[in-house]
Amino acid sequence: MARRSDHSRDEIREMALNATKTIVEREGAAALSTRKIANEIGYTVGSLYLVFANLDDLIFQVNARTLSELAAELDRAAARSNTPKAALVELGLAYFRFATSNLGRWELIFGRGSPAANASPEWYRNRIPVLFDRVERLLVQLAPSRKPGEVALAARALWGGVHGICTLALTDKLGIAGLSDAEPLLTTLIETFLSGWMQRS
C-alpha cells in the first residue's frame, strides 16, 4: 500500500481516473467501487476522498473525459463527409462505433452504475451539448428556416433514436427486431428522419 507522500494529489487524481477507466472497461460500470479503485492504485479509500468529494465526483470527471473523446471522434467522422446529410449519417455511425469500442465507459455515462442525472454538477451539465450541438449545426444547414427550438428538439429526437438502437445492439437485444447489424438500421433511421425534416422546412 502506497503512502500519501509517494504521490502528489494531482498524481493520485490521475491514477484514480485511469484506474476507473481500466476497471469499467475490464469489468463493466456496475462493478465500480471506491475500494476497487483504491486497490487498483495501491492507496486507501480515504486517500481518494482527499482528492474527490465522493464516487459520483470521480465518475463525473471520468465521464467528462469520455465525452471529450467522443466529441473528437464525432468531429473526425463529420470531416469525412461532403454534405450535411452524409455528415449526420457519419455522426450516428461514429456514435455507435465509439460506444462499441468503449462499452464500459459508455455504460458509466448512461447505464447501471452511472450517477443520477439530477445529481450532476453544473460544470458537467455544460459538457452534455457535445451530444447535440454538432447535430444542430448540420440540421440548420439542411433547413435554414427552422426556428432554434425546432432544431434543438429535432437534434434530441434524432439522438434519442440513435441512442436507442445503440442500446439495443450493445445489450444484445437487436434480435427482437429480427436484425443482427445495427449500422444499416442507424443509416435508415437517420436518412428517413432527414428526408422528413427537409420536406417540412
Side-chain angles (χ1 to χ4, degrees):
M1 186 68 67
R3 298 187 305 274
R4 253 180 279 163
S5 59
D6 290 342
H7 298 93
S8 68
R9 287 171 61 92
D10 286 345
E11 287 171 333
I12 294 173
R13 177 181 181 277
E14 194 65 25
M15 291 162 60
L17 293 173
N18 289 333
T20 300
K21 176 181 175 180
T22 298
I23 292 166
V24 298
E25 292 294 356
R26 184 178 65 212
E27 303 175 40
L32 192 65
S33 69
T34 51
R35 184 173 300 279
K36 191 165 290 187
I37 297 166
N39 288 340
E40 188 83 16
I41 66 174
Y43 275 84
T44 65
V45 171
S47 297
L48 290 180
Y49 288 124
L50 293 173
V51 183
F52 302 97
N54 49 43
L55 181 59
D56 282 359
D57 178 30
L58 194 160
I59 289 173
F60 283 127
Q61 294 192 43
V62 171
N63 287 350
R65 290 188 173 190
T66 302
L67 289 173
S68 294
E69 288 183 37
L70 174 59
E73 191 61 39
L74 294 177
D75 287 340
R76 284 190 289 269
R80 293 192 291 266
S81 305
N82 296 321
T83 67
K85 186 174 181 179
L88 284 162
V89 171
E90 285 299 320
L91 287 180
L93 295 175
Y95 184 86
F96 171 67
R97 291 165 186 165
F98 183 89
T100 302
S101 300
N102 302 278
L103 181 57
R105 287 189 292 151
W106 189 82
E107 287 180 344
L108 199 61
I109 297 175
F110 299 111
R112 291 187 306 158
S114 61
N118 60 9
S120 61
E122 183 177 359
W123 69 263
Y124 180 75
R125 292 195 297 272
N126 291 338
R127 301 291 185 96
I128 301 302
V130 66
L131 299 174
F132 308 114
D133 57 2
R134 289 156 178 79
V135 176
E136 289 181 17
R137 289 196 296 269
L138 291 166
L139 289 174
V140 168
Q141 292 180 46
L142 291 172
S145 63
R146 288 298 187 91
K147 296 178 180 178
E150 293 177 309
V151 175
L153 183 61
R156 284 150 181 79
L158 184 55
W159 172 78
V162 169
H163 185 79
I165 292 173
C166 290
T167 299
L168 288 172
L170 296 173
T171 54
D172 295 322
K173 300 293 193 303
L174 203 57
I176 293 172
L179 299 170
S180 58
D181 188 353
E183 295 199 7
L185 189 59
L186 285 166
T187 300
T188 298
L189 169 72
I190 296 167
E191 290 180 342
T192 302
F193 182 95
L194 295 179
S195 293
W197 172 255
M198 290 184 291
Q199 287 175 4
R200 294 195 304 272
S201 62

